[in-house]
């Protein structure tokens, strides 16, 4: 049994935002609940109001057009994303990383936006979305603002979100559509394991990009590299950018080592 | 308390339920549908897997109130008229059950996999049950049972490592 809270299921964005404005720190929003209900059960979260986003039609949008890019609404699940034809065929880095996230059942509930808002250093969507230059749109009863994911995630489970705001969507600009991509994740078992360390990579017409998760408080995006960059240069840049720690899953030394291994493999495979 | 109306295994139910009760506990405690098991309660083990509106979910991480208006399928609805489903029958014949605690969730996931991928390779089967832990069988009999239930074809052609030796 979870601790007592009131459940709300608003059916419009206005209703949702005024609820959130009224309850602020006492409220928490959710869609998949795959992080929230684990946290509530463990006593780590004790919200008085739990607000379900799934009946707000505006938040369910998953769409692509060349002008606006890929729009991923707050309630779009990871499985919806990876099965979406544009993602499947034209954003390989998202497809591969999405498939690596937790288990099939969890991906049926877990959302892409939730993975970013949770801002865990080992989240699987952070590094691919950093490579693609994605932005988040925050909305509240007072207005909306947009910022790059790079700025949105500020630390371990910390973001710029205000208590009366939600992330309504992630937007992936069309700039890197059809870029070759790959994602390598070190974990102890296949299925429901947190990443020990992971690296995402894309190769567009003009540049290569790499981003690394589980090796610093936030996912880390490296600078753009020329297509024919040699492996030493990427590895050197990565080692300067990360600050891995020792923890129950792995040592800092092994994390650093595997970042280099994955960079080398991705340079070969993302062609 | 909130009123929820839903369909489970083709039968309609309407009950008042605490807003903070999980769907798993609602099924087990309020409706007596105890076939669905609680293992970890945190979305890791898959013992609580059910179908909700056609998607496999961990019912321990769903609120009962979220299921208002939903169609659920639980292990109780898999056998029809006392006849085991293909998957259940294959689990029986292949000894894919030891302690049996993971079996309801495993059968739901396997059935869902075969609906999506009627003729899975061994690798697709392994991926299909990635969210279901079994601590007894070592998975081999479960994988063989799912290959059997798929009716041979590509599933059987992809020999197990044991058969390769």
């Amino acid at each position: 049994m979870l601790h007592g809270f009131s459940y709300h299921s608003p059916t419009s964005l206005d209703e949702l935002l005024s609820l959130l404005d009224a309850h602020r720190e006492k409220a928490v929003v959710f869609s998949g609940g795959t992080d929230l209900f684990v946290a509530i059960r463990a006593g780590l979260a004790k919200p008085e109001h739990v607000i379900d986003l799934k009946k707000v039609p505006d938040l369910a949008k998953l769409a692509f057009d060349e002008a606006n890019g890929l729009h991923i609404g707050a309630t779009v699940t990871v499985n919806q994303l990876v099965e979406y034809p544009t993602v499947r065929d034209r954003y390989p880095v998202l497809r591969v990383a999405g498939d690596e996230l937790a288990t099939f059942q969890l991906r049926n509930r877990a959302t892409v936006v939730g993975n970013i808002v949770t801002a865990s250093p080992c989240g699987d969507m952070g590094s691919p979305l950093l490579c693609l230059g994605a932005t988040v749109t925050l909305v509240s009863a007072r207005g909306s603002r947009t910022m790059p994911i790079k700025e949105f995630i500020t630390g371990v489970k910390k973001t710029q979100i205000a208590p009366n705001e939600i992330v309504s969507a992630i937007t992936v600009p069309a700039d890197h559509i059809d870029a070759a991509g790959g994602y390598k994740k070190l974990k102890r078992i296949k299925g429901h394991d947190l990443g020990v360390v992971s690296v995402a990579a894309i190769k567009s017409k003009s540049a290569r990009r790499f981003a690394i998760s589980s090796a610093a408080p936030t996912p880390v995006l490296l600078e753009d590299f020329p297509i024919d960059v040699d492996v030493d240069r990427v590895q050197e840049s990565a080692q300067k950018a990360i600050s891995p720690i020792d923890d129950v899953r792995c040592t800092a030394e092994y994390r650093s080592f595997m970042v280099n291994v994955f960079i080398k493999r991705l340079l070969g495979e993302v062609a | 308390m909130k009123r929820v109306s839903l369909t489970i295994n083709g039968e309609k139910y309407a009950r008042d339920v605490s807003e903070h009760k999980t769907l798993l506990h609602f099924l087990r405690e309020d409706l007596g549908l105890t076939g669905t098991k609680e293992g970890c309660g945190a979305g890791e083990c898959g013992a609580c897997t059910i179908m909700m509106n056609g998607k496999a979910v961990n019912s321990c991480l769903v609120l009962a109130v979220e299921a208002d208006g939903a169609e659920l399928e639980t292990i109780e609805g898999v056998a029809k008229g006392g006849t085991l489903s293909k998957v259940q029958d294959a689990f029986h014949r292949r000894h894919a059950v030891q302690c049996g605690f993971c079996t309801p969730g495993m059968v739901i996931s396997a059935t869902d996999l075969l609906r999506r991928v009627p003729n899975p390779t061994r690798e697709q089967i392994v991926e299909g049950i990635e969210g279901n832990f079994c601590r007894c069988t070592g998975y081999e009999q479960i994988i063989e049972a799912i290959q059997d239930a798929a009716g041979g074809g590509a599933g059987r052609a992809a020999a197990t490592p044991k058969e390769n030796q």
Side-chain angles (χ1 to χ4, degrees), chain B residues 90-107:
Chain B
F91 269 58
H92 181 213
R93 281 185 292 102
R94 282 282 183 170
H95 305 285
V97 179
Q98 282 187 32
C99 89
F101 196 82
C102 74
T103 310
M106 199 65 89
V107 167

Side-chain angles (χ1 to χ4, degrees), chain B residues 94-157:
Chain B
R94 282 282 183 170
H95 305 285
V97 179
Q98 282 187 32
C99 89
F101 196 82
C102 74
T103 310
M106 199 65 89
V107 167
I108 295 285
S109 283
T111 306
D112 178 48
L113 171 70
L114 296 182
R115 272 184 205 143
R116 290 182 286 116
V117 189
N119 227 333
T121 61
R122 182 185 164 86
E123 201 187 337
Q124 285 172 316
I125 292 172
V126 171
E127 281 178 9
I129 57 170
E130 69 180 349
N132 296 80
F133 287 3
C134 170
R135 299 285 86 140
C136 302
T137 64
Y139 298 99
E140 202 53 45
Q141 300 94 314
I142 292 171
I143 293 164
E144 287 170 5
I146 298 170
Q147 287 175 325
D148 258 20
R156 290 302 297 156

Side-chain angles (χ1 to χ4, degrees), chain B:
Chain B
M1 300 289 263
K2 271 203 161 58
R3 189 79 173 164
V4 295
S5 303
L6 70 172
T7 306
I8 306 171
N9 305 323
E11 253 182 77
K12 292 200 183 311
Y13 294 81
R15 292 285 191 286
D16 290 325
V17 64
S18 301
E19 291 166 52
H20 54 278
K21 189 161 212 166
T22 64
L23 182 55
L24 172 65
H25 289 167
F26 176 66
L27 290 171
R28 291 181 55 85
E29 296 165 6
D30 297 13
L31 303 181
L33 295 170
T34 54
T36 305
K37 304 304 180 198
E38 177 161 32
C40 67
E44 296 187 11
C45 75
C48 67
T49 304
I50 63 165
M51 299 302 290
M52 181 173 176
N53 296 328
K55 307 253 185 224
V57 299
N58 298 102
S59 61
C60 72
L61 296 183
V62 180
L63 297 177
V65 287
E66 285 181 73
D68 186 36
E71 293 220 6
L72 309 186
E73 188 183 345
T74 67
I75 190 66
E76 286 88 352
V78 175
K80 306 281 184 217
T83 306
L84 297 180
S85 73
K86 253 187 166 179
V87 170
Q88 287 174 314
D89 182 55
F91 269 58
H92 181 213
R93 281 185 292 102
R94 282 282 183 170
H95 305 285
V97 179
Q98 282 187 32
C99 89
F101 196 82
C102 74
T103 310
M106 199 65 89
V107 167
I108 295 285
S109 283
T111 306
D112 178 48
L113 171 70
L114 296 182
R115 272 184 205 143
R116 290 182 286 116
V117 189
N119 227 333
T121 61
R122 182 185 164 86
E123 201 187 337
Q124 285 172 316
I125 292 172
V126 171
E127 281 178 9
I129 57 170
E130 69 180 349
N132 296 80
F133 287 3
C134 170
R135 299 285 86 140
C136 302
T137 64
Y139 298 99
E140 202 53 45
Q141 300 94 314
I142 292 171
I143 293 164
E144 287 170 5
I146 298 170
Q147 287 175 325
D148 258 20
R156 290 302 297 156
T160 63
K162 214 184 291 167
E163 288 165 329
N164 278 335
Q165 286 164 6

Side-chain angles (χ1 to χ4, degrees), chain A residues 62-72 84 86 91 170-175 177:
Chain A
L62 175 59
F64 174 79
D65 66 70
E66 299 278 348
N68 301 306
L70 180 67
H71 176 103
I72 308 166
Y84 187 60
T86 307
Y91 283 110
I170 289 171
T171 306
V172 181
D175 307 8
I177 189 130

Side-chain angles (χ1 to χ4, degrees), chain A residues 1-8 30-35 37-38 41 50 52 54-55 80 83 99 101-109 189-192, chain B residues 2 18-22 25 29 38 40-44 46 49 52 55-58 60-63 65-66 68 109 112 116 127-128 130-133:
Chain A
M1 183 67 88
L2 305 173
H3 88 96
F5 51 72
S6 302
Y7 170 82
H8 306 268
F30 85 101
S31 181
T34 54
D35 282 315
F37 297 135
V38 175
R41 190 185 155 101
V50 167
D52 190 345
K54 290 191 290 296
K55 289 197 178 141
Q80 278 178 283
E83 288 162 9
D99 274 339
L101 188 150
T103 67
F104 187 77
Q105 290 99 307
L106 286 167
R107 293 194 294 273
N108 272 339
R109 290 267 296 174
I189 52 163
K190 168 77 183 111
H192 204 285
Chain B
K2 271 203 161 58
S18 301
E19 291 166 52
H20 54 278
K21 189 161 212 166
T22 64
H25 289 167
E29 296 165 6
E38 177 161 32
C40 67
E44 296 187 11
T49 304
M52 181 173 176
K55 307 253 185 224
V57 299
N58 298 102
C60 72
L61 296 183
V62 180
L63 297 177
V65 287
E66 285 181 73
D68 186 36
S109 283
D112 178 48
R116 290 182 286 116
E127 281 178 9
E130 69 180 349
N132 296 80
F133 287 3

Side-chain angles (χ1 to χ4, degrees), chain A residues 10 23 37 51 60 76 98 110 113 127-128 137 149 158 184 226 233 256:
Chain A
H23 298 299
F37 297 135
I51 305 174
V76 172
V113 167
S127 51
T137 302
I149 286 182
K158 287 198 172 70
K184 298 283 179 197
R233 190 176 147 199
S256 296

